Amino acid sequence: KVIRRYSDFVWLLDCLHKRYPFRQLPLLPPKRVAINGNHIAADQTFIEKRRRGLARFCNALVRHPVLREEQLVVMFLTVPTELAVWRKQATISVQEEFVGKQLPPNLEDSLPQNLQDTFDTVRSGVRRSADLYINLCNLTERLCKRKEAIAGEYGRFKMNLQSITETSADTYAIDTNDVPLLNEGINGTAKHVGTSQNLLDDESRAWDEGLLEDLKYMRDALVSMRDMFDRRDRYAKDNIPQLEKRIQTNEQKLQGIKAKGDTAKPGEAEKVENAIVNDKQSIVAQHARGVFIKECVRDEIHYFNATQYHVSRLHQDWAQERVKYAELQADNFRGLVDAVESMPLGD
């Protein structure tokens, strides 16, 4: 059994941010929330939500074609050793994944010319969709609570009906011949209302564990993509133009030093030459990194694109579930029609 603390998840995500800033990294649920200024971390409902959020986090890691191969992730998910102990023993690398990687000769030419346009289009769609799915999650949570509340009202409705049967004999004391049939019908209604209450409770749980989790899966995926594009803005920058200017300046400086001949300071030319070489190497490395980032973001978009099929399954599953509970409710109330058929009408 592998046991991890919330702080362990925070540490892992921090490592992944450093090593894979241009990947679709999973989201962590909040450790606690504040309601009216009071922090809630021990509420059972909140703990269950956080547990599900951590499960989504782990599942996202396992699904991702690159992250699931990362040794840090494999260890985190499989090694039973307490993480604090393991961290002291292990050698952990959080270098960006492109460090030291050689640029393949044909990679840059293989990337589409309109890749930046694709990035901009996808980013715009992801931003709008993320906001919409956040709203859908909030709405679904409210609908679940509303269903629970309606189920509770049905329970009170049932109890009141049952209480009515206790007063029927007194209420109709002048002629109690029909009271047994009357009470039988009222009890039948109470029974079927109780069944309806149970179905509403079941459906509310099904929404909470099914539809809501599916929507949160999509919300998390979209927010992860949105965050990835934001990180690209922050971390994909280079200083190649400045280096090129500095190389040009140093080359002119080097010419001047060489023109001095023997009057130049010893080692001055070598120092400038080394600076030029280092800057050129830095340009090559930064250019390669830029190409790798483009390839990486493109691959992440391709990977993310498969979430549309999750959307399809989400709608199909929810539609089938709605039909299921609608039919169960209809069957229940058809049974109620039979249960009240023999109630006295005084004809």
Side-chain angles (χ1 to χ4, degrees), residues 325-345:
Y325 282 100
E327 289 178 344
L328 288 171
Q329 289 282 14
D331 289 343
N332 175 51
F333 284 110
R334 273 192 286 267
L336 174 58
V337 171
D338 295 336
V340 299
E341 183 69 27
S342 60
M343 291 182 76
L345 297 176

Side-chain angles (χ1 to χ4, degrees), residues 158-159 161-166 179-194 336 339-340 343:
K158 170 188 172 181
M159 287 189 293
L161 286 173
Q162 290 171 332
S163 296
I164 285 174
T165 63
E166 298 170 4
V179 166
L181 286 176
L182 183 70
N183 282 347
E184 183 181 338
I186 294 173
N187 279 324
T189 300
K191 174 186 174 183
H192 285 82
V193 168
L336 174 58
V340 299
M343 291 182 76

Side-chain angles (χ1 to χ4, degrees), residues 271-317:
K271 183 179 179 181
V272 175
E273 286 174 345
N274 288 336
I276 292 172
V277 170
N278 290 336
D279 285 347
K280 286 182 177 180
Q281 289 175 344
S282 180
I283 287 175
V284 170
Q286 290 188 48
H287 177 76
R289 179 176 181 266
V291 175
F292 285 132
I293 290 172
K294 288 180 181 178
E295 180 195 30
C296 182
V297 173
R298 181 204 62 183
D299 291 347
E300 290 301 301
I301 289 174
H302 280 295
Y303 170 66
F304 168 79
N305 211 50
T307 60
Q308 63 183 298
Y309 307 121
H310 180 85
V311 174
S312 300
R313 287 190 293 272
L314 179 162
H315 285 264
Q316 290 170 355
D317 291 346

Side-chain angles (χ1 to χ4, degrees), residues 23 48 62 96 136 158 294:
R23 299 286 180 187
E48 173 59 18
V62 171
E96 189 178 279
L136 283 172
K158 170 188 172 181
K294 288 180 181 178

